[in-house]
Amino acid sequence: NAGVTQTPKFQVLKTGQSMTLQCAQDMNHNSMYWYRQDPGMGLRLIYYSASEGTTDKGEVPNGYNVSRLNKREFSLRLESAAPSQTSVYFCASSAISGSSAGNTIYFGEGSWLTVV
Amino acid sequence: DAKTTQPPSMDCAEGRAANLPCNHSTISGNEYVYWYRQIHSQGPQYIIHGLKNNETNEMASLIITEDRKSSTLILPHATLRDTAVYYCIVNGATNKLIFGTGTLLAVQP
């Protein structure tokens, strides 16, 4: 049982390049999330998907797009990377959609992205 | 979702109880209190959550005041491996868990 798996773990991009961060969960969870964490800061929510086929903006969605490909997979795309997007990106999932009870979130190990 | 306020850092001696406070004075009736921790640069790890009653599991205890405006996470016997950033989050019937800056707990030998 792998939980939440993110790829790649490390990536260096040049300004203006595009890339997609992949995320998959094997817990049959309904909801999935993408967060970013800048050095010395807390996590900030980029986008989330309450259920398959739906996506919603979080706190810092600008410069990103997401796709909920199926129940297992939720990808994050940077169309034109900027140095301000240098960060650690965490994917996460939770079982319950639209209810706070037991809405425990499980996180992946992170993807370190540097934009030069 | 209600905001939370936590001290930026705390120290605790190894083997002693660590008591981490959190203020959430604007919490509404259907919002739960969650605690997560992040060790170094790993993905955050769920610890415990509660609504009104105090809760205990194998990792920690959660004490919520009667008016629900604040809570305390208790690690009964802190070890060096408990050194981490601890996040207190309140969340209602949405999927938007918003993390603040948390409390850096440093367990001292």
Side-chain angles (χ1 to χ4, degrees):
Chain A
N1 187 351
V4 179
T5 305
Q6 301 179 225
T7 56
K9 275 204 174 303
F10 301 95
Q11 183 73 48
V12 179
L13 285 178
K14 293 182 179 179
T15 298
Q17 285 185 318
S18 62
M19 78 157 296
T20 299
L21 297 174
Q22 306 286 354
C23 176
Q25 52 91 8
D26 61 4
M27 296 175 281
N28 200 35
H29 283 170
N30 287 314
S31 302
M32 298 186 73
Y33 313 79
W34 277 106
Y35 288 85
R36 62 176 286 175
Q37 186 172 34
D38 299 334
M41 306 288 286
L43 285 84
R44 291 185 292 169
L45 181 64
I46 305 172
Y47 271 94
Y48 67 101
S49 170
S51 60
E52 186 178 354
T54 69
T55 60
D56 286 284
K57 295 178 180 179
E59 302 172 89
V60 289
N62 292 342
Y64 304 94
N65 286 304
V66 290
S67 295
R68 184 73 183 268
L69 304 169
N70 48 54
K71 192 171 186 179
R72 287 188 66 247
E73 298 172 291
F74 188 39
S75 63
L76 178 71
R77 183 160 178 84
L78 288 70
E79 290 292 351
S80 179
S84 61
Q85 294 178 304
T86 293
S87 192
V88 182
Y89 291 83
F90 290 99
C91 178
S93 70
S94 66
I96 300 172
S97 173
S99 169
S100 63
N103 196 20
T104 303
I105 289 189
Y106 297 86
F107 285 83
E109 288 304 308
S111 297
W112 273 251
L113 177 64
T114 301
V115 183
V116 297
Chain B
D1 291 320
K3 299 289 187 184
T4 62
T5 304
Q6 299 177 253
S9 64
M10 293 182 63
D11 289 342
C12 177
E14 189 177 18
R16 303 297 294 269
N19 297 284
L20 293 93
C22 180
N23 287 321
H24 31 79
S25 58
T26 61
I27 193 170
S28 59
N30 67 341
E31 290 184 314
Y32 281 68
V33 180
Y34 290 82
W35 283 85
Y36 286 78
R37 74 179 183 184
Q38 187 175 27
I39 297 173
H40 194 45
S41 296
Q42 299 176 19
Q45 174 190 24
Y46 166 81
I47 302 173
I48 198 166
H49 74 282
L51 182 63
K52 296 180 181 178
N53 300 322
N54 298 336
E55 302 287 344
T56 296
N57 63 20
E58 66 277 5
M59 289 182 68
S61 295
L62 173 61
I63 308 298
I64 303 174
T65 58
E66 192 170 343
D67 63 7
R68 302 207 327 121
K69 293 185 177 182
S70 65
S71 61
T72 302
L73 178 74
I74 301 172
L75 307 179
H77 305 288
T79 70
L80 298 178
R81 288 177 294 180
D82 291 322
T83 292
V85 177
Y86 288 77
Y87 296 98
C88 168
I89 304 161
V90 294
N91 180 249
T94 75
N95 296 99
K96 288 178 68 173
L97 257 65
I98 305 295
F99 285 73
T101 53
T103 296
L104 173 59
L105 175 68
V107 180
Q108 309 290 344

